[in-house]
Amino acid sequence: MKKRDLLTPLDFSKEELDELFDRADDIRQHPEKYAHACEGKKMATCFFEPSTRTRLSHETAMLNLGGKVMGFPSGSVSSATKGETVADTARVISCFADIMVIRHPKEGAAAVAAHYASIPVINAGDGGHQHPTQTLTDLLTIRSLRGSLDNFTIGLCGDLKFGRTVHSLINALVRYENVRFVFISPEELKVPDYITDMLNDKGIPYEECIRLEDVIPKLDILYMTRVQKERFFNEEDYVRLKDFYVLNKAKLKRAKPDMYILHPLPRVNEIAADVDDDPRAAYFKQVQYGVYVREALILKLLNIDVDKL
Amino acid sequence: MLNVGKIEEGYVLDHIQAGRAMLIYHHLGLDKVDWTVAIIKNARSNAMGRKDILKVECPVDSLNLDVLAFIDPNITVNVIRGGEIMEKKKVELPKELVNVIRCTNPRCITSVETSLPHIFYLADPNRRIYRCKYCDEKYQEISDR
């Protein structure tokens, strides 16, 4: 059987994603059933740039499955400092581990690793390009909270121009029925043309606006992202606009009682601390769902069928 | 009127946009072989005003013509055998281009690992858009930037 990798969120069909999410649900409900599923298997986490949360989430997933983990947390402690190529690293890691997780500052590095590795490769972020396990996490979170990935309105708020998690999530959600998009951002950080072109081509409805308050009552999911000061051309614009993209209890009063708030984290100040206790705040649950979906992903890529063990 | 002799076996690449013959000459690697090649620039054309033509005397099927449509979709390929035109075909955009164009995205892995092949895939045939296989950056000709 040809090995599978996860390089982009679209590497799996909708049906495969449904299976993956069903498995993640089962893992959430029956963790003991999976506690030894990866016994004897090793996962290498190769992080050429640091990302504590993503690395620990993958490692937790493997440990929960009874497997072992090894790796390096930053490029400065790997052979990359000696000039080793990603291709060679992938070949070498294939001799040590059963599955490889890679984060790299350069776009496309995971695709190179997957090409040269003989073991499955998970892309844990390649520069500003793709971060598919975050998208899987987002999809599982929405599905678990709402019961379905069809028929809802999602507001994406903040930096929609440079935010790769936003682009990946949109690309993944267009495969589902009747998902409506509301893009909330300053003019400087609007969603790129290639995304709106794609939505227009597919006839998928969307609207763009500047103020969160104007649209929050119609949203079923609010996906917050950080607006970084350095993205603005001048300080004046930043000061004028930054509060539009801060969610607080006052703004939340106008939202539906069953609207859920997601955030890929880390959060800085775009969600006020007084929102954390609101039952609609789902961003920490999202982290937990990230572990379940990574467990399901590891099982899928290693072709481990727990029901046959 | 300039006269260039007939070829016995090979290709005549006609209807090349004027000024692009040398680009094709290099992309086909004709500078690296010892075949007879005629490069005709700015020939008169009823349909195009001016056009370039390339005549290559070589064994048929020895040239990889995939790149032609990428450079100029209006090129006509005449296949010559025994001094006669055996086939006249329009070119089609290749699904993949390997080491034909280079990714210029400074964030792409190819910018630091120079031994990697530069591979582009056809992302949108209608808009003739190619994207880098590694970073998905859209290829833009220098004149389009």
Side-chain angles (χ1 to χ4, degrees):
Chain A
M1 187 187 275
K2 193 172 175 284
K3 72 152 178 139
R4 292 286 298 268
D5 308 293
L6 180 71
L7 303 178
T8 85
L10 302 182
D11 285 353
F12 291 151
S13 68
K14 229 177 113 176
E15 292 69 31
E16 284 177 315
L17 285 183
D18 282 343
E19 268 176 41
L20 192 78
F21 298 149
D22 288 344
R23 182 63 66 193
D25 280 344
D26 198 49
I27 291 168
R28 176 166 57 89
Q29 288 160 26
H30 308 287
E32 69 293 343
K33 193 172 134 190
Y34 296 87
H36 303 285
C38 283
E39 232 158 46
K41 301 285 185 191
K42 296 186 285 289
M43 181 172 78
T45 49
C46 306
F47 276 56
F48 292 84
E49 69 174 5
S51 170
T52 313
R53 245 171 321 103
T54 305
R55 185 169 55 85
L56 293 184
S57 179
H58 280 96
E59 293 184 353
T60 304
M62 190 55 163
L63 293 171
N64 287 350
L65 295 168
K68 291 191 167 62
V69 296
M70 58 185 169
F72 50 88
S74 86
S76 62
V77 294
S78 81
S79 288
T81 53
K82 299 175 191 162
E84 186 176 59
T85 62
V86 170
D88 282 1
T89 303
R91 288 182 178 115
V92 170
I93 297 294
S94 298
C95 302
F96 302 148
D98 300 286
I99 187 165
M100 174 179 177
V101 182
I102 179 172
R103 169 167 284 210
H104 197 284
K106 288 292 179 183
E107 300 177 5
V112 173
H115 183 77
Y116 290 96
S118 57
I119 56 175
V121 171
I122 296 174
N123 181 6
D126 55 342
H129 184 221
Q130 299 282 354
H131 191 359
T133 59
Q134 180 64 50
T135 308
L136 298 186
T137 300
D138 298 340
L139 294 175
L140 176 65
T141 306
I142 295 170
R143 192 181 99 140
S144 302
L145 296 173
R146 291 189 47 78
S148 157
L149 284 163
D150 299 318
N151 304 311
F152 67 97
T153 301
I154 181 167
L156 298 126
C157 178
D159 178 358
L160 307 187
K161 184 175 182 182
F162 298 102
R164 66 183 168 188
T165 54
V166 166
H167 305 162
S168 293
L169 183 57
I170 297 167
N171 276 319
L173 282 176
V174 296
R175 300 200 286 186
Y176 295 91
E177 295 296 320
N178 196 24
V179 178
R180 299 164 298 275
F181 295 92
V182 182
F183 301 132
I184 309 143
S185 72
E187 194 65 29
E188 294 85 342
L189 300 177
K190 275 171 71 172
V191 75
D193 287 349
Y194 79 88
I195 297 271
T196 47
D197 285 349
M198 180 268 294
L199 294 173
N200 288 330
D201 286 349
K202 290 179 187 290
I204 293 170
Y206 67 89
E207 65 177 284
E208 295 181 280
C209 69
I210 292 182
R211 291 166 62 98
L212 175 59
E213 293 95 315
D214 296 342
V215 289
I216 201 166
K218 68 169 88 166
L219 305 179
D220 300 305
I221 296 284
L222 172 57
Y223 195 93
M224 294 293 295
T225 64
R226 191 151 54 101
V227 174
Q228 290 166 279
K229 192 175 172 179
E230 56 270 26
R231 302 289 193 205
F232 283 84
F233 296 119
N234 60 60
E235 174 100 23
E236 197 181 301
D237 280 352
Y238 173 72
V239 171
R240 181 170 58 82
L241 293 166
K242 69 179 169 58
D243 288 344
F244 288 178
Y245 308 103
V246 173
L247 181 66
N248 53 30
K249 210 152 200 157
K251 281 183 198 162
L252 206 49
K253 275 186 184 153
R254 302 193 59 219
K256 290 180 186 173
D258 60 350
M259 182 198 79
Y260 291 103
I261 307 153
L262 274 64
H263 191 302
L265 301 182
R267 170 247 322 241
V268 182
N269 55 3
E270 59 278 10
I271 301 179
D274 64 5
V275 175
D276 292 354
D277 295 332
D278 192 289
R280 291 168 287 190
Y283 30 93
F284 293 119
K285 280 184 201 150
Q286 202 177 343
V287 178
Q288 185 61 59
Y289 284 118
V291 176
Y292 300 138
V293 87
R294 287 180 177 105
E295 286 185 47
L297 175 65
I298 292 166
L299 292 174
K300 180 172 177 63
L301 295 180
L302 288 176
N303 283 316
I304 294 173
D305 186 346
V306 174
D307 302 325
K308 289 185 184 160
L309 284 179
Chain B
M1 181 71 182
L2 179 72
N3 280 314
V4 177
K6 278 172 70 167
I7 57 174
E8 277 302 305
E9 182 171 357
Y11 298 97
V12 176
L13 310 180
D14 199 359
H15 303 117
I16 300 170
Q17 192 186 328
R20 304 212 111 187
M22 283 309 288
L23 188 65
I24 291 169
Y25 177 84
H26 286 291
H27 272 308
L28 293 180
L30 296 174
D31 52 335
K32 297 181 186 74
V33 290
D34 56 2
W35 300 324
T36 304
V37 178
I39 302 164
I40 303 161
K41 290 184 70 178
N42 294 317
R44 283 193 200 92
S45 160
N46 289 337
M48 300 170 71
R50 298 273 173 187
K51 66 177 181 180
D52 287 0
I53 303 168
L54 267 179
K55 285 189 167 190
V56 187
E57 180 120 52
C58 68
V60 165
D61 296 333
S62 57
L63 273 183
N64 181 358
L65 301 171
D66 283 351
V67 71
L68 291 181
F70 168 73
I71 299 170
D72 184 345
N74 300 314
I75 292 175
T76 306
V77 177
N78 298 293
V79 184
I80 314 291
R81 272 203 188 96
E84 302 295 330
I85 297 177
M86 300 307 289
E87 196 185 345
K88 214 180 232 303
K89 54 186 181 188
K90 295 300 285 181
V91 290
E92 283 180 19
L93 285 175
K95 298 248 182 314
E96 196 170 82
L97 292 167
V98 180
N99 288 331
V100 174
I101 46 178
R102 297 184 67 79
C103 184
T104 55
N105 174 7
R107 301 175 305 278
C108 180
I109 185 72
T110 55
S111 69
V112 288
E113 299 208 354
T114 49
S115 60
L116 289 170
H118 284 241
I119 304 173
F120 281 74
Y121 66 94
L122 181 59
D124 185 338
N126 296 327
R127 297 188 181 104
R128 301 184 68 225
I129 291 172
Y130 280 86
R131 290 186 183 276
C132 172
K133 186 180 170 182
Y134 305 103
C135 68
D136 288 303
E137 184 86 348
K138 185 161 88 173
Y139 175 75
Q140 288 180 302
E141 284 193 64
I142 291 166
S143 57
D144 296 340
R145 285 179 197 157

